[in-house]
Amino acid sequence: MLTCKDINEMAGDYLSGDLTVMKRISFKLHLMVCKHCNRYVSQLKIALASLKRMSGHSDSGELCSEEEVNKTLQFIRDNREK
Amino acid sequence: MKENGEAEIIEKLLKNDEDTFRSVIRRFQPQMRFLARSIAGEAIADEIVQESWLSMMRALPKFEQRSSLKTWLLRITANEAKSRLRRESRSCSLEGLESKNGPMDNRYDSGGSWLKAPSNWELATPEEIISKDQLQDCIKLALEKLPPLQSTALRLKELENYSSEEICNILDVSASNIRVLLHRARNSLYETIEHFQSTGICRPCG
């Protein structure tokens, strides 16, 4: 039987779907009988979702501008031989 | 994770093919910048990215393609950012794993049951949480205060959807350490929000 502390340690993997089937089942069984852990896990889910909302997918999904490409190319040319 | 045609791309890079260079920069630089900024901060992110391209050029002939080009480039970037931070000793600990106890560990008794149970959040949806400016600022501050590799691991996992394996590769940390980094970062975020909700005060935990 998992302890509440085990639930804390596994919660991230549970939410991202990274637990094995067996672990997932024991995790869910614990949540069925423990209201504190139930609250912790659902609030952690809200915390992580808030983080996602806040970031609004900043800059990493985009391509970089031609200006930046030129700048980097120039930098490489200027510094390669040193 | 390897993409089609990477061997060909690398061959062209080795021959200094400008078009290939351009497309590689265009494609990967935003992710490199995201990573550099996450580890070392906005102020020196651009410098780190440029230095990373130079390191990449030097290392390219020896690149064995055991990982994808993207993962390799990000690993180089993370290394540049980490060594820059160490050099400037701006950060005492990049990982923050010295202490045996992480955030929330003290909320459980020795048998692993709750000592201090989680309080019920009044702002109970992401929309409600981010509609409160002070709380948003508090969450940002909490991330800034985390050891750089903790916040970066969390961002890569939760915002950029990298697998834990890729994050290990990029940040050059062991599988067991990445678990602890992510676990501590998530709990710090949790406790920061919890504390704000119950007191109205921002006290970044970590």
Side-chain angles (χ1 to χ4, degrees):
Chain A
M1 187 70 188
L2 296 171
T3 67
C4 299
K5 196 156 189 256
D6 293 331
I7 293 296
N8 182 303
E9 275 159 27
M10 294 159 69
D13 284 340
Y14 171 76
L15 292 174
S16 57
D18 291 330
L19 287 184
T20 61
V21 177
M22 283 314 287
K23 279 188 174 169
R24 193 171 180 85
I25 292 169
S26 345
F27 190 97
K28 284 194 157 177
L29 280 176
H30 183 111
L31 289 195
M32 283 168 73
V33 296
C34 179
K35 80 172 197 284
H36 291 329
C37 285
N38 212 324
R39 178 182 282 176
Y40 166 72
V41 173
S42 55
Q43 290 182 163
L44 180 66
K45 187 176 174 187
I46 294 165
L48 296 172
S50 307
L51 192 65
K52 242 173 235 174
R53 283 288 171 89
M54 277 172 55
S55 88
H57 263 260
S58 44
D59 52 5
S60 66
E62 303 162 13
L63 297 177
C64 78
S65 69
E66 280 314 292
E67 196 191 334
E68 284 175 80
V69 173
N70 289 334
K71 229 167 94 183
T72 298
L73 268 180
Q74 193 58 44
F75 180 83
I76 295 173
R77 284 199 196 105
D78 291 348
N79 292 278
R80 280 194 82 158
E81 314 306 333
K82 285 180 192 168
Chain B
M1 286 312 315
K2 249 180 243 181
E3 289 175 39
N4 289 335
E6 280 210 338
E8 201 183 322
I9 292 174
I10 286 152
E11 212 170 291
K12 284 185 179 166
L13 288 177
L14 282 167
K15 286 180 187 154
N16 277 319
D17 181 79
E18 181 166 326
D19 284 345
T20 309
F21 251 112
R22 286 184 168 275
S23 81
V24 168
I25 294 170
R26 206 176 290 130
R27 201 158 131 218
F28 298 119
Q29 186 155 286
Q31 289 155 55
M32 292 163 71
R33 197 174 185 287
F34 176 87
L35 183 63
R37 193 180 59 186
S38 178
I39 298 175
E42 177 71 35
I44 52 174
D46 286 324
E47 282 171 50
I48 289 167
V49 169
Q50 296 206 316
E51 288 302 325
S52 304
W53 285 115
L54 288 184
S55 304
M56 176 264 199
M57 295 291 296
R58 281 191 293 268
L60 193 60
K62 286 174 285 179
F63 178 43
E64 290 170 358
Q65 297 182 54
R66 275 187 306 214
S67 62
S68 69
L69 182 59
K70 174 176 155 188
T71 301
W72 183 65
L73 271 169
L74 292 179
R75 187 180 167 101
I76 290 174
T77 310
N79 270 329
E80 284 290 335
K82 285 191 283 180
S83 61
R84 181 73 184 258
L85 278 189
R86 284 200 196 96
R87 221 165 38 232
E88 296 180 0
S89 54
R90 284 231 322 266
S91 178
C92 312
S93 165
L94 298 182
E95 299 189 338
L97 295 181
E98 299 71 22
S99 162
K100 247 186 77 184
N101 293 319
M104 294 194 83
D105 279 358
N106 60 0
R107 310 258 313 242
Y108 299 88
D109 64 22
S110 55
S113 299
W114 285 98
L115 271 178
K116 185 174 175 243
S119 59
N120 195 27
W121 292 1
E122 216 171 284
L123 308 172
T125 64
E127 291 76 18
E128 284 173 314
I129 286 178
I130 62 173
S131 68
K132 196 137 180 128
D133 289 344
Q134 281 168 299
L135 181 49
Q136 261 211 55
D137 291 343
C138 186
I139 292 171
K140 285 180 195 154
L141 187 67
L143 282 182
E144 277 169 35
K145 293 220 163 178
L146 282 180
L149 293 194
Q150 282 189 27
S151 52
T152 301
L154 186 70
R155 288 190 185 102
L156 291 176
K157 181 85 181 175
E158 301 296 338
L159 305 181
E160 304 293 312
N161 300 317
Y162 284 87
S163 69
S164 296
E165 199 191 336
E166 284 174 295
I167 302 174
C168 287
N169 239 319
I170 292 167
L171 298 181
D172 194 15
V173 293
S174 67
S176 60
N177 277 358
I178 205 72
R179 290 188 60 82
V180 185
L181 290 176
L182 283 169
H183 179 227
R184 290 191 178 182
R186 288 186 187 112
N187 275 339
S188 294
L189 173 72
Y190 184 94
E191 280 205 308
T192 300
I193 297 176
E194 179 179 64
H195 191 261
F196 187 95
Q197 295 228 25
S198 50
T199 64
I201 296 166
C202 181
R203 190 199 65 192
C205 308

